[in-house]
Amino acid sequence: MNDYVCLIQEGQSADQSREALAEGLKNIGMECFGDNPAATEIGWVVVRKGFGFTAGEPSTTSVVERSVAVGLPQDQREVFLKKTSDLWQQVTDCTGNEVMVMAWDGPLPIQL
Amino acid sequence: MPIYRTTIREGLSNEEQRARIADEIVRIHCGVTGAPQSFVNAYFSEPGGPETGSGELPEGKVALVHATIRAGRTDANKAEIVSDLTHFVAEVLDCPAEKVAVVTNDIPASWCMEGGIVLPDPGTPEEAEWKKRDQSCGAPTG
């Protein structure tokens, strides 16, 4: 089961930066939740051209989802959300509006 | 937020049809919830495709729409979204409405970050303030 599921747009910056993003996510998981980076699994959903829209226009948005412990304190959740949003912006040069991060209590509702 | 993930049977939709559905998702979602359009996401996939993220189609269905929206919308709001979208997708795909499934899944706003901020709950003073502040580039939706 994936620890993270990342939805990205085919051929865009995040798609071309998967290795750096994966490394960053593993580090964030270790810092925030004590994850073992070597055991962290990341799934990628690559949205084909013509299959992704934001506000009715071709999408440039990435969505990063992660399962966290049920009842995780909000301050810890916000640190994770912020670190992940910052990572995406630094690696892909996207804006904050182009990355959505979600930290779900318990299993992700949609798995790959 | 919101994110509408739609799985359509392979070969049943083209880009023009998907764009029409994406536009209608924006219209329906924003019309029902009063949310601005900026962050309404619509992603499509086909069963078994490399990008599949919304699972396989339920038996007897040709399209499944899975909407992740902020918790706090009323049951009536969600029922309206489901009904309107079901009928529109069926119309675009030229199939009976019974062949289309639409489900919603709530996520607490505080579990999400978009635009670099933790999203406010729908209908709160914090949301109203955020909408006012961010009208030019979009406020949290979903």
Side-chain angles (χ1 to χ4, degrees):
Chain A
M1 186 177 292
N2 292 301
D3 299 288
Y4 294 92
V5 172
C6 306
L7 182 150
I8 57 177
Q9 309 299 322
E10 182 184 44
Q12 295 184 12
S13 182
D15 190 18
Q16 295 161 356
S17 309
R18 283 201 242 175
E19 195 173 330
L21 292 169
E23 185 181 344
L25 289 176
K26 289 177 181 180
N27 288 334
I28 290 170
M30 181 175 60
E31 293 165 11
C32 292
F33 308 117
D35 290 351
N36 173 3
T40 301
E41 295 185 17
I42 300 170
W44 300 92
V45 177
V46 182
V47 178
R48 282 185 278 168
K49 290 175 183 170
F51 282 71
F53 302 85
T54 297
E57 300 295 328
S59 182
T60 56
T61 296
S62 297
V63 181
V64 184
E65 298 180 81
R66 179 189 164 113
S67 166
V68 299
V70 174
L72 181 75
Q74 183 63 16
D75 59 342
Q76 293 179 36
R77 191 185 308 269
E78 289 187 19
V79 169
F80 164 75
L81 295 171
K82 181 73 165 58
K83 281 177 180 280
T84 305
S85 178
D86 289 349
L87 166 72
W88 230 259
Q89 292 176 63
Q90 288 159 12
V91 171
T92 71
D93 204 27
C94 71
T95 68
N97 288 346
E98 292 174 304
V99 55
M100 183 191 317
V101 188
M102 294 186 276
W104 293 86
D105 274 20
L108 298 178
I110 296 179
Q111 277 289 342
L112 297 182
Chain B
M1 188 68 65
I3 305 172
Y4 284 79
R5 289 176 251 228
T6 302
T7 303
I8 300 176
R9 180 183 287 174
E10 190 173 1
L12 200 62
S13 70
N14 58 33
E15 186 167 354
E16 185 268 337
Q17 290 169 305
R18 292 189 292 272
R20 283 180 63 200
I21 294 170
D23 282 344
E24 190 67 5
I25 284 171
V26 173
R27 194 194 68 76
I28 291 172
H29 184 89
C30 297
V32 170
T33 66
Q37 303 179 3
S38 307
F39 295 142
V40 180
N41 296 289
Y43 300 123
F44 297 85
S45 62
E46 295 177 337
E51 75 294 319
T52 296
S54 29
E56 297 301 310
L57 288 169
E59 189 173 342
K61 304 294 183 187
V62 301
L64 168 65
V65 184
H66 187 284
T68 302
I69 63 178
R70 281 182 297 161
R73 302 299 185 197
T74 66
D75 288 345
N77 280 169
K78 287 185 272 192
E80 188 175 352
I81 289 171
V82 168
S83 176
D84 289 357
L85 194 50
T86 297
H87 288 93
F88 186 80
V89 170
E91 179 187 317
V92 170
L93 299 181
D94 193 24
C95 69
E98 292 73 27
K99 296 282 187 184
V100 176
V102 179
V103 296
T104 65
N105 188 30
D106 290 353
I107 181 170
S110 62
W111 294 3
C112 311
M113 177 169 282
E114 192 170 39
I117 67 153
V118 175
L119 297 185
D121 289 318
T124 60
E126 290 77 15
E127 186 196 42
E129 186 60 33
W130 166 244
K131 281 182 179 176
K132 264 193 289 184
R133 200 174 63 229
D134 205 46
Q135 270 178 344
S136 61
C137 60
T141 61

